[in-house]
Amino acid sequence: MSKVSADSMGRSLADWLVYLEGLNMAHIELGLSRMEAVAGRMGLLSLPSHVITVAGTNGKGSTCALMEAMLQASGHSVGVYSSPHLLDYRERVRINGQFPAAERFCAAFAEVEAARGDIALTYFEFGTLAALWLFRDAAPEVVLLEVGLGGRLDATNAVASDQTVVTTIALDHTDWLGTDREAIGREKSGIFRPGKAAVCGEADPPQSLLDHARILGTPLRLVGVDFHFLQQGERWNFDGPGLQLTDLPLPNLPLMNAATALATLACSPFVPGRQAVVDGLTRARLLGRLQPLSPRLWVDVAHNPESAGYLASRLESLGVKGRILALVGMLKDKDIAATLAPMQPLVDDWYLASLAGPRAAGAEELAKHVRGRCFDSVAAALAAAEADCGEQDIVIAFGSFFTVADVLANKITG
């Protein structure tokens, strides 16, 4: 393996991120050959940690955050890799709840650059390798790897995992994963390992996922079959193999994901006690998930029909006394009509924002599906929505990670 160059070591994190963005212009390039080759050179195909890989259409980040919180409350060290980030690239890696220092990311990027030689990596592959290097260096007891896209061919799947999780399966990224749930289920079940415990939090799993687990010999625990949860008012109960808990507090994140996280930890070497579960449920948070920035401004990264439906149900539970004003910006490769549909009965006024970049949908495209005012940026739409927002109204910004990131940046720097 070639040595780290002095030029590489002298780059700042901002320099590295500009460099990564220009390395390989393909936004998505599925396949494991590049990742496996470089990870093999770096000794990163397996980690000195218990690795849990998490795939799914929605709920990956929440499930990881809930497991992270319960593991930390149990006294275990834990690393988390997730994507995308909202404001700071370092959000993609957490080690014991903290982002690594910028200098550590720079060192990791330099090691990847030295190892890759003439192998062209995508932005996501380069970042995944850097995260794995950071985890190997820190050696937490548990590493939670959130799949970027699909599962079978995602960069994270190059790593040997001890357990796997599929949260939900719905139609998203159909250009890459297939146009029906059976095809998508097969892609996501590609993370399963022979003889290694797996959990599925999808209430109606496609047959392709079940078949793949059976063929591989993967012991698969299913919600509604092998583990159950029941909400009773503001409390809930969990019942699964080796772990039965009653009178638990509701989490700040989706209850289904909390049950999936518990089921996963229940079949791990790190089964949490009751107090650690309660503490984890209470503490777990995730940026951009129905997050209040003020009493009248909320953000949510819902960007597909399933997540928008969940957002709509949560908004109803808030009991807003006034109007709901929606600021929405989306990518053109999403199912715009089906994503906006669950929100239409709740929203009084729409503020439609054009996003930047080649994948962005213009405000005029959104206006084909809902009637609202069009703006050339999230910042302009936000200013208008906040100006129109009365004392008992709220503004909810959603539709894309990019939309939420722009709102967060505006409120922090504006």
Side-chain angles (χ1 to χ4, degrees):
M1 180 172 64
S2 59
K3 294 182 179 180
V4 176
S5 70
D7 176 64
S8 291
M9 290 303 296
R11 289 176 176 149
S12 68
L13 180 55
D15 292 337
W16 271 112
L17 296 179
V18 170
Y19 177 71
L20 263 60
E21 288 168 359
L23 262 183
N24 185 340
M25 295 309 292
H27 181 77
I28 298 171
E29 193 172 323
L30 295 178
L32 296 181
S33 59
R34 300 175 303 277
M35 185 72 188
E36 288 176 338
V38 182
R41 294 176 185 177
M42 298 179 71
L44 297 175
L45 291 172
S46 62
L47 297 176
S49 306
H50 184 87
V51 175
I52 303 176
T53 304
V54 183
T57 305
N58 294 300
K60 299 185 296 292
S62 296
T63 301
C64 286
L66 286 154
M67 285 195 287
E68 174 189 29
M70 287 186 273
L71 286 164
Q72 284 192 274
S74 300
H76 299 296
S77 56
V78 56
V80 183
Y81 177 55
S82 64
S83 63
H85 62 280
L86 287 170
L87 294 177
D88 185 338
Y89 184 88
R90 296 181 306 141
E91 295 168 27
R92 293 178 178 236
V93 176
R94 299 191 297 274
I95 299 175
N96 295 326
Q98 303 297 314
F99 304 149
E103 292 76 13
R104 297 304 297 150
F105 272 97
C106 292
F109 288 145
E111 292 290 341
V112 176
E113 177 68 359
R116 75 178 182 89
D118 60 357
I119 297 175
L121 297 171
T122 66
Y123 180 97
F124 184 75
E125 289 168 338
F126 207 109
T128 301
L129 287 160
L132 297 175
W133 187 88
L134 290 167
F135 291 141
R136 186 184 63 185
D137 182 61
E141 292 173 84
V142 183
V143 166
L144 308 175
L145 295 179
E146 180 187 324
V147 167
L149 177 62
R152 182 174 65 92
L153 298 176
D154 187 76
T156 56
N157 204 33
V159 183
S161 57
D162 300 286
Q163 288 182 253
T164 54
V165 185
V166 174
T167 55
T168 64
I169 298 170
L171 297 182
D172 199 7
H173 298 293
T174 53
D175 289 350
W176 296 96
L177 304 181
T179 56
D180 57 64
R181 293 180 75 250
E182 290 296 329
I184 292 173
R186 173 62 187 87
E187 290 299 314
K188 295 188 186 303
S189 68
I191 66 171
F192 291 166
R193 300 291 193 264
K196 303 289 187 179
V199 166
C200 180
E202 169 60 55
D204 180 27
Q207 190 63 41
S208 60
L209 180 141
L210 304 177
D211 289 344
H212 191 58
R214 177 181 52 80
I215 292 167
L216 280 181
T218 299
L220 178 61
R221 292 184 177 181
L222 300 169
V223 65
V225 178
D226 303 293
F227 67 97
H228 308 264
F229 67 100
L230 176 65
Q231 182 175 347
Q232 296 178 313
E234 295 300 307
R235 313 293 286 183
W236 68 291
N237 303 331
F238 175 85
D239 183 8
L243 189 61
Q244 296 83 40
L245 296 167
T246 60
D247 196 34
L248 295 171
L250 290 175
N252 297 291
L253 297 168
L255 182 56
M256 177 68 254
N257 299 334
T260 302
L262 266 179
T264 303
L265 295 181
C267 55
S268 79
F270 308 94
V271 183
R274 177 182 174 81
Q275 192 57 52
V277 172
V278 170
D279 291 347
L281 291 170
T282 304
R283 296 174 188 171
R285 298 284 193 283
L286 206 56
L287 283 174
R289 273 67 170 188
L290 200 57
Q291 178 184 353
L293 302 184
S294 74
R296 292 189 290 167
L297 176 60
W298 298 65
V299 293
D300 192 279
V301 294
H303 58 278
N304 56 40
E306 184 182 46
S307 57
Y310 179 75
L311 171 60
S313 68
R314 289 293 306 277
L315 283 176
E316 285 186 296
S317 70
L318 291 179
V320 179
K321 295 180 180 178
R323 298 175 301 153
I324 294 178
L325 314 181
L327 187 170
V328 61
M330 295 189 66
L331 300 179
K332 62 187 177 184
D333 55 9
K334 299 298 179 181
D335 189 338
I336 294 173
T339 301
L340 298 181
M343 295 288 288
Q344 291 204 46
L346 299 176
V347 173
D348 296 285
D349 293 292
W350 293 88
Y351 298 78
L352 311 175
S354 296
L355 300 180
R359 297 174 63 206
E364 293 74 15
E365 179 62 30
L366 304 180
K368 295 176 183 177
H369 306 284
V370 293
R371 185 172 298 176
R373 295 168 60 189
C374 294
F375 299 87
D376 60 7
S377 68
V378 170
L382 177 62
E386 289 195 303
D388 294 342
C389 187
E391 286 294 328
Q392 295 187 315
D393 303 338
I394 68 164
V395 175
I396 175 69
F398 77 102
S400 170
F401 278 85
F402 295 106
T403 306
V404 171
D406 283 354
V407 172
L408 290 173
N410 182 278
K411 300 313 291 184
I412 289 171
T413 60

